[in-house]
Amino acid sequence: MPVRVTESSTPSQVSGTNSGDTSPPACTLLSVGQFYLQTFSGTQNVSSLQKEEAWRVNVRIQGCDLEYGYLCGTMEALNVPMADTPVVTFWEGEIVDTKNYTFYTGKWEASPEDDKRHWTKFPSFSPLLSQVEVDGGKSLDLSNYPYIFMRWKEQYFVNVGTDCGLTIAGFYYVCFSCSDGSISGFYYDPNSSPFQKLELKSTNEGRSGYSFSSYELQ
Protein backbone atom coordinates (compact mmCIF):
# COMPACT_ATOMS: atom_id res chain seq x y z
CA MET A 1 0.00 0.00 0.00
CA PRO A 2 1.34 3.47 -0.75
CA VAL A 3 2.46 5.42 2.29
CA ARG A 4 2.66 9.12 3.00
CA VAL A 5 5.96 10.73 2.13
CA THR A 6 7.72 11.55 5.40
CA GLU A 7 11.17 12.38 6.62
CA SER A 8 13.33 9.65 8.06
CA SER A 9 12.84 9.34 11.36
CA THR A 10 5.69 -22.03 18.39
CA PRO A 11 6.19 -22.85 14.89
CA SER A 12 6.96 -26.38 13.64
CA GLN A 13 10.58 -27.34 13.26
CA VAL A 14 12.04 -27.51 9.76
CA SER A 15 14.77 -29.55 8.20
CA GLY A 16 18.19 -27.97 8.33
CA THR A 17 19.18 -29.06 4.84
CA ASN A 18 17.58 -28.78 1.45
CA SER A 19 16.28 -32.08 0.12
CA GLY A 20 16.05 -30.81 -3.47
CA ASP A 21 12.36 -29.94 -3.54
CA THR A 22 12.35 -26.25 -2.69
CA SER A 23 8.77 -25.47 -3.66
CA PRO A 24 6.57 -23.76 -1.09
CA PRO A 25 4.29 -26.07 0.91
CA ALA A 26 1.37 -27.56 -0.97
CA CYS A 27 -1.21 -25.59 0.97
CA THR A 28 -4.50 -24.81 -0.69
CA LEU A 29 -3.66 -21.14 -1.25
CA LEU A 30 -1.14 -22.17 -3.85
CA SER A 31 -3.35 -24.67 -5.67
CA VAL A 32 -2.75 -23.50 -9.21
CA GLY A 33 -5.71 -24.19 -11.46
CA GLN A 34 -8.27 -22.15 -9.53
CA PHE A 35 -9.19 -19.20 -11.74
CA TYR A 36 -10.97 -16.80 -9.43
CA LEU A 37 -9.29 -13.87 -7.75
CA GLN A 38 -8.19 -14.53 -4.19
CA THR A 39 -8.91 -11.52 -1.99
CA PHE A 40 -7.77 -10.35 1.44
CA SER A 41 -8.95 -7.49 3.63
CA GLY A 42 -7.47 -5.82 6.69
CA THR A 43 -5.44 -2.83 7.78
CA GLN A 44 -2.03 -1.24 7.57
CA ASN A 45 -0.80 0.74 10.53
CA VAL A 46 0.78 3.93 9.21
CA SER A 47 1.25 5.64 12.56
CA SER A 48 4.09 8.08 13.09
CA LEU A 49 5.54 9.62 16.21
CA GLN A 50 3.05 12.45 15.81
CA LYS A 51 -0.13 10.54 14.99
CA GLU A 52 -1.81 7.16 15.35
CA GLU A 53 -3.32 6.10 12.04
CA ALA A 54 -4.42 2.96 10.20
CA TRP A 55 -5.74 2.54 6.68
CA ARG A 56 -8.17 -0.12 5.51
CA VAL A 57 -6.63 -2.30 2.81
CA ASN A 58 -7.88 -4.79 0.22
CA VAL A 59 -5.49 -7.08 -1.66
CA ARG A 60 -6.14 -9.24 -4.71
CA ILE A 61 -3.76 -11.98 -5.83
CA GLN A 62 -3.91 -11.75 -9.62
CA GLY A 63 -1.25 -14.19 -10.76
CA CYS A 64 1.24 -16.78 -9.55
CA ASP A 65 4.05 -18.80 -11.12
CA LEU A 66 5.54 -21.16 -8.53
CA GLU A 67 8.29 -22.37 -10.84
CA TYR A 68 9.81 -18.91 -10.82
CA GLY A 69 8.71 -17.89 -7.31
CA TYR A 70 6.58 -15.09 -8.74
CA LEU A 71 3.21 -13.60 -7.87
CA CYS A 72 1.44 -10.31 -8.50
CA GLY A 73 -1.67 -8.45 -7.50
CA THR A 74 -3.28 -5.17 -6.59
CA MET A 75 -3.53 -3.34 -3.29
CA GLU A 76 -6.28 -0.85 -2.49
CA ALA A 77 -6.09 1.66 0.37
CA LEU A 78 -9.60 2.84 1.25
CA ASN A 79 -9.38 5.70 3.71
CA VAL A 80 -6.27 7.64 2.76
CA PRO A 81 -6.75 11.13 4.27
CA MET A 82 -5.28 13.16 1.39
CA ALA A 83 -7.00 11.18 -1.39
CA ASP A 84 -10.49 11.73 -2.78
CA THR A 85 -10.70 8.12 -3.99
CA PRO A 86 -9.33 4.75 -2.87
CA VAL A 87 -5.70 4.45 -3.98
CA VAL A 88 -4.87 1.32 -5.99
CA THR A 89 -1.38 0.05 -6.76
CA PHE A 90 -0.07 -2.90 -8.75
CA TRP A 91 2.59 -5.00 -7.04
CA GLU A 92 4.86 -7.91 -7.91
CA GLY A 93 6.11 -10.42 -5.37
CA GLU A 94 8.95 -12.83 -4.72
CA ILE A 95 8.25 -16.12 -2.94
CA VAL A 96 11.12 -17.15 -0.69
CA ASP A 97 11.53 -20.71 -1.96
CA THR A 98 15.36 -20.88 -1.51
CA LYS A 99 15.61 -21.71 -5.23
CA ASN A 100 14.65 -18.45 -6.90
CA TYR A 101 14.78 -16.20 -3.84
CA THR A 102 16.33 -16.38 -0.39
CA PHE A 103 15.63 -14.36 2.75
CA TYR A 104 18.26 -11.81 1.75
CA THR A 105 16.72 -9.15 -0.50
CA GLY A 106 19.88 -7.79 -2.11
CA LYS A 107 18.17 -4.66 -3.54
CA TRP A 108 15.64 -1.91 -2.76
CA GLU A 109 18.11 -0.39 -0.25
CA ALA A 110 17.69 -3.37 2.11
CA SER A 111 20.85 -4.71 3.76
CA PRO A 112 21.11 -8.20 5.31
CA GLU A 113 20.69 -6.54 8.70
CA ASP A 114 17.51 -4.83 7.51
CA ASP A 115 16.28 -8.20 6.28
CA LYS A 116 16.90 -9.90 9.62
CA ARG A 117 15.30 -7.05 11.58
CA HIS A 118 12.12 -7.42 9.58
CA TRP A 119 11.95 -11.20 9.21
CA THR A 120 12.44 -11.65 12.95
CA LYS A 121 9.24 -9.65 13.53
CA PHE A 122 7.43 -12.84 12.45
CA PRO A 123 7.39 -15.50 15.23
CA SER A 124 7.21 -18.19 12.53
CA PHE A 125 10.67 -17.14 11.30
CA SER A 126 12.44 -17.90 14.59
CA PRO A 127 13.33 -21.56 13.82
CA LEU A 128 14.92 -20.46 10.54
CA LEU A 129 17.11 -17.63 11.79
CA SER A 130 20.30 -19.55 12.59
CA GLN A 131 20.51 -21.08 9.11
CA VAL A 132 19.56 -17.82 7.41
CA GLU A 133 22.49 -16.16 9.16
CA VAL A 134 24.76 -18.80 7.61
CA ASP A 135 23.66 -18.75 3.98
CA GLY A 136 20.48 -16.70 3.63
CA GLY A 137 18.47 -19.88 4.06
CA LYS A 138 19.66 -21.48 0.80
CA SER A 139 20.05 -24.88 2.46
CA LEU A 140 16.65 -24.85 4.17
CA ASP A 141 13.89 -27.18 3.05
CA LEU A 142 10.69 -25.12 3.20
CA SER A 143 8.54 -27.57 1.26
CA ASN A 144 6.53 -28.61 4.34
CA TYR A 145 6.80 -25.45 6.37
CA PRO A 146 3.36 -24.15 7.41
CA TYR A 147 4.21 -20.56 6.46
CA ILE A 148 5.20 -18.94 3.17
CA PHE A 149 7.51 -15.92 3.21
CA MET A 150 7.41 -13.34 0.44
CA ARG A 151 8.38 -9.83 -0.57
CA TRP A 152 5.84 -7.57 -2.28
CA LYS A 153 7.05 -4.54 -4.25
CA GLU A 154 4.56 -2.00 -5.56
CA GLN A 155 5.35 -1.09 -9.16
CA TYR A 156 2.96 1.70 -10.07
CA PHE A 157 -0.22 3.56 -9.17
CA VAL A 158 -3.26 2.25 -11.03
CA ASN A 159 -5.78 5.06 -10.56
CA VAL A 160 -3.88 8.12 -9.33
CA GLY A 161 -0.82 10.02 -10.47
CA THR A 162 2.64 10.01 -8.95
CA ASP A 163 1.97 13.54 -7.67
CA CYS A 164 -0.62 12.24 -5.19
CA GLY A 165 1.61 12.84 -2.15
CA LEU A 166 2.21 9.12 -1.51
CA THR A 167 5.24 6.94 -2.11
CA ILE A 168 5.65 3.36 -3.26
CA ALA A 169 9.44 3.42 -2.97
CA GLY A 170 9.56 0.69 -0.33
CA PHE A 171 8.44 -2.93 -0.19
CA TYR A 172 6.78 -5.43 2.15
CA TYR A 173 8.20 -8.39 4.03
CA VAL A 174 5.24 -10.80 4.06
CA CYS A 175 4.30 -14.00 5.89
CA PHE A 176 1.34 -16.12 4.81
CA SER A 177 -0.16 -18.76 7.11
CA CYS A 178 -1.14 -21.96 5.28
CA SER A 179 -3.45 -22.97 8.12
CA ASP A 180 -5.86 -20.04 8.15
CA GLY A 181 -5.02 -17.96 5.08
CA SER A 182 -3.98 -14.89 7.07
CA ILE A 183 -1.24 -12.53 5.93
CA SER A 184 0.98 -10.31 8.02
CA GLY A 185 3.63 -7.96 6.72
CA PHE A 186 5.98 -5.10 7.51
CA TYR A 187 6.72 -2.22 5.17
CA TYR A 188 10.32 -1.17 4.63
CA ASP A 189 11.34 2.20 3.27
CA PRO A 190 14.22 4.16 4.85
CA ASN A 191 12.25 7.38 4.32
CA SER A 192 8.96 6.22 5.88
CA SER A 193 7.87 5.32 9.40
CA PRO A 194 9.51 1.98 10.31
CA PHE A 195 7.74 -1.35 10.73
CA GLN A 196 4.34 -0.31 9.40
CA LYS A 197 2.34 -3.49 9.99
CA LEU A 198 0.03 -5.04 7.42
CA GLU A 199 -2.63 -7.47 8.72
CA LEU A 200 -4.96 -9.26 6.30
CA LYS A 201 -7.53 -12.03 6.44
CA SER A 202 -8.74 -14.04 3.47
CA THR A 203 -12.20 -13.06 2.28
CA ASN A 204 -12.23 -15.62 -0.53
CA GLU A 205 -15.48 -14.14 -1.86
CA GLY A 206 -17.58 -16.89 -0.34
CA ARG A 207 -15.59 -19.79 -1.76
CA SER A 208 -13.73 -22.49 0.15
CA GLY A 209 -9.97 -23.00 0.04
CA TYR A 210 -7.17 -20.59 -0.72
CA SER A 211 -5.74 -20.27 -4.19
CA PHE A 212 -3.72 -17.97 -6.42
CA SER A 213 -5.46 -17.28 -9.72
CA SER A 214 -4.06 -17.15 -13.25
CA TYR A 215 -5.65 -13.78 -13.99
CA GLU A 216 -3.35 -11.38 -15.79
CA LEU A 217 -3.69 -7.64 -15.19
CA GLN A 218 -4.15 -5.78 -18.48
Side-chain angles (χ1 to χ4, degrees), residues 121-168:
K121 290 285 186 181
F122 304 110
S124 53
F125 177 77
S126 296
L128 311 177
L129 175 59
S130 60
Q131 193 58 41
V132 169
E133 291 180 322
V134 173
D135 61 3
K138 290 180 181 179
S139 60
L140 288 169
D141 177 8
L142 300 177
S143 58
N144 293 308
Y145 204 59
Y147 298 90
I148 297 174
F149 299 96
M150 299 173 274
R151 285 177 287 265
W152 294 356
K153 177 72 176 77
E154 289 166 301
Q155 301 297 322
Y156 56 83
F157 292 101
V158 173
N159 67 330
V160 298
T162 55
D163 58 350
C164 62
L166 303 175
T167 177
I168 53 174

Side-chain angles (χ1 to χ4, degrees), residues 103-107 109-121 125 129 132-134 136 171 173 188 195:
F103 287 97
Y104 287 151
T105 305
K107 53 188 171 183
E109 298 186 67
S111 69
E113 289 304 313
D114 293 322
D115 290 330
K116 284 188 287 186
R117 275 194 295 269
H118 285 76
W119 290 127
T120 52
K121 290 285 186 181
F125 177 77
L129 175 59
V132 169
E133 291 180 322
V134 173
F171 70 96
Y173 295 86
Y188 173 73
F195 303 115

Side-chain angles (χ1 to χ4, degrees), residues 179-199:
S179 62
D180 63 11
S182 65
I183 288 175
S184 56
F186 291 95
Y187 188 74
Y188 173 73
D189 176 0
N191 298 313
S192 297
S193 299
F195 303 115
Q196 296 181 27
K197 188 173 185 179
L198 181 70
E199 296 181 287

Side-chain angles (χ1 to χ4, degrees), residues 8-138:
S8 299
S9 40
T10 294
S12 301
Q13 295 295 316
V14 297
S15 165
T17 58
N18 198 315
S19 62
D21 179 9
T22 59
S23 300
C27 66
T28 51
L29 174 86
L30 296 174
S31 298
V32 177
Q34 301 290 335
F35 294 99
Y36 58 85
L37 299 182
Q38 176 64 33
T39 61
F40 300 83
S41 292
T43 60
Q44 179 171 334
N45 187 314
V46 293
S47 298
S48 65
L49 293 175
Q50 293 78 27
K51 184 179 180 181
E52 289 288 329
E53 188 175 350
W55 295 347
R56 290 188 296 126
V57 178
N58 292 326
V59 167
R60 284 177 178 261
I61 306 296
Q62 309 228 27
C64 178
D65 188 332
L66 296 183
E67 181 179 355
Y68 295 99
Y70 173 85
L71 74 163
C72 65
T74 55
M75 185 176 290
E76 177 187 39
L78 298 178
N79 58 323
V80 181
M82 71 288 294
D84 296 327
T85 180
V87 177
V88 181
T89 56
F90 173 75
W91 55 267
E92 294 182 304
E94 302 174 347
I95 300 172
V96 178
D97 55 9
T98 70
K99 178 180 66 174
N100 295 288
Y101 301 102
T102 72
F103 287 97
Y104 287 151
T105 305
K107 53 188 171 183
W108 303 328
E109 298 186 67
S111 69
E113 289 304 313
D114 293 322
D115 290 330
K116 284 188 287 186
R117 275 194 295 269
H118 285 76
W119 290 127
T120 52
K121 290 285 186 181
F122 304 110
S124 53
F125 177 77
S126 296
L128 311 177
L129 175 59
S130 60
Q131 193 58 41
V132 169
E133 291 180 322
V134 173
D135 61 3
K138 290 180 181 179

